[in-house]
Coordinates of all heavy atoms in Angstrom, one line a residue:
Chain A
S74 N -15.2 40.8 60.7 CA -15.6 39.9 61.7 C -16.0 38.6 61.1 O -16.4 38.5 60.0 CB -16.9 40.5 62.4 OG -16.7 41.7 63.0
L75 N -15.7 37.5 61.9 CA -16.1 36.2 61.6 C -17.1 35.7 62.6 O -16.8 35.8 63.8 CB -14.9 35.2 61.6 CG -15.1 33.7 61.4 CD1 -15.5 33.4 60.0 CD2 -13.9 32.9 61.8
T76 N -18.2 35.2 62.1 CA -19.3 34.7 63.0 C -19.4 33.2 62.8 O -19.5 32.8 61.6 CB -20.6 35.5 62.8 OG1 -20.4 36.8 63.2 CG2 -21.7 34.9 63.7
I77 N -19.5 32.5 63.9 CA -19.7 31.1 63.8 C -21.0 30.8 64.6 O -21.1 31.1 65.8 CB -18.6 30.2 64.4 CG1 -17.3 30.6 63.8 CG2 -18.9 28.7 64.2 CD1 -16.1 29.9 64.4
S78 N -22.1 30.3 63.9 CA -23.3 30.1 64.5 C -23.4 28.6 64.8 O -22.8 27.7 64.2 CB -24.5 30.6 63.7 OG -24.5 29.9 62.4
G79 N -24.3 28.2 65.7 CA -24.5 26.8 66.0 C -23.2 26.1 66.4 O -22.9 25.1 65.8
L80 N -22.5 26.7 67.3 CA -21.1 26.2 67.7 C -21.1 24.7 67.9 O -22.0 24.2 68.6 CB -20.7 27.0 68.9 CG -19.2 27.3 69.1 CD1 -18.6 28.0 67.9 CD2 -19.0 28.1 70.4
Q81 N -20.1 24.1 67.4 CA -19.9 22.7 67.5 C -18.5 22.4 68.1 O -17.6 23.2 67.9 CB -20.0 21.9 66.2 CG -21.4 22.1 65.6 CD -21.6 21.3 64.3 OE1 -20.6 20.7 63.8 NE2 -22.7 21.4 63.7
A82 N -18.3 21.3 68.8 CA -17.0 20.9 69.4 C -15.9 21.0 68.3 O -14.8 21.4 68.6 CB -17.1 19.6 70.0
E83 N -16.2 20.6 67.1 CA -15.2 20.5 66.0 C -14.7 21.9 65.6 O -13.7 22.0 64.9 CB -15.7 19.8 64.8 CG -16.9 20.5 64.1 CD -17.7 19.6 63.2 OE1 -18.0 18.5 63.7 OE2 -18.0 20.0 62.1
D84 N -15.4 22.9 66.0 CA -15.0 24.3 65.7 C -13.9 24.8 66.5 O -13.3 25.8 66.2 CB -16.2 25.3 65.8 CG -17.3 24.9 64.9 OD1 -17.1 24.3 63.8 OD2 -18.5 25.2 65.3
E85 N -13.6 24.1 67.6 CA -12.5 24.5 68.5 C -11.2 24.5 67.7 O -10.7 23.5 67.2 CB -12.4 23.6 69.7 CG -11.4 24.1 70.8 CD -11.7 23.5 72.1 OE1 -12.7 23.8 72.8 OE2 -10.8 22.7 72.6
A86 N -10.5 25.7 67.7 CA -9.3 25.9 66.9 C -8.8 27.3 67.0 O -9.5 28.1 67.7 CB -9.6 25.6 65.4
Y87 N -7.7 27.6 66.4 CA -7.3 29.0 66.2 C -7.8 29.5 64.9 O -7.9 28.8 63.9 CB -5.8 29.1 66.2 CG -5.1 29.0 67.6 CD1 -4.8 27.7 68.2 CD2 -4.9 30.1 68.4 CE1 -4.3 27.6 69.4 CE2 -4.3 30.0 69.6 CZ -4.0 28.8 70.1 OH -3.5 28.7 71.4
Y88 N -8.2 30.8 64.9 CA -8.7 31.5 63.7 C -7.9 32.7 63.5 O -7.6 33.5 64.4 CB -10.2 31.8 63.9 CG -11.1 30.6 63.9 CD1 -11.3 29.9 65.1 CD2 -11.6 30.1 62.7 CE1 -12.1 28.8 65.1 CE2 -12.4 29.0 62.7 CZ -12.6 28.3 63.9 OH -13.4 27.1 63.9
Y89 N -7.5 32.8 62.2 CA -6.6 34.0 61.8 C -7.3 34.7 60.7 O -7.8 34.1 59.7 CB -5.3 33.5 61.3 CG -4.4 32.9 62.3 CD1 -4.5 31.5 62.6 CD2 -3.5 33.7 63.1 CE1 -3.7 31.0 63.6 CE2 -2.7 33.1 64.0 CZ -2.8 31.7 64.3 OH -2.0 31.2 65.3
C90 N -7.4 36.1 60.8 CA -7.8 36.9 59.7 C -6.6 37.3 58.9 O -5.4 37.3 59.4 CB -8.6 38.1 60.1 SG -7.7 39.2 61.2
C91 N -6.8 37.6 57.6 CA -5.7 38.1 56.7 C -6.3 39.1 55.8 O -7.4 38.9 55.3 CB -5.2 36.9 55.9 SG -3.9 37.3 54.7
S92 N -5.6 40.2 55.6 CA -6.1 41.2 54.7 C -5.0 41.6 53.6 O -3.8 41.6 53.9 CB -6.4 42.5 55.4 OG -6.8 43.5 54.6
Y93 N -5.5 41.9 52.4 CA -4.6 42.4 51.4 C -4.2 43.8 51.9 O -5.1 44.5 52.5 CB -5.3 42.5 50.1 CG -4.4 43.1 49.0 CD1 -3.3 42.4 48.5 CD2 -4.8 44.3 48.4 CE1 -2.5 42.9 47.5 CE2 -4.0 44.8 47.4 CZ -2.9 44.1 46.9 OH -2.1 44.7 45.9
A94 N -3.0 44.2 51.8 CA -2.5 45.5 52.3 C -1.9 46.4 51.2 O -1.1 47.3 51.5 CB -1.5 45.2 53.4

Side-chain angles (χ1 to χ4, degrees):
Chain A
S74 298
L75 173 71
T76 297
I77 308 174
S78 59
L80 211 54
Q81 299 179 1
E83 68 198 44
D84 299 330
E85 188 161 290
Y87 281 87
Y88 291 86
Y89 293 89
C90 60
C91 178
S92 176
Y93 182 66

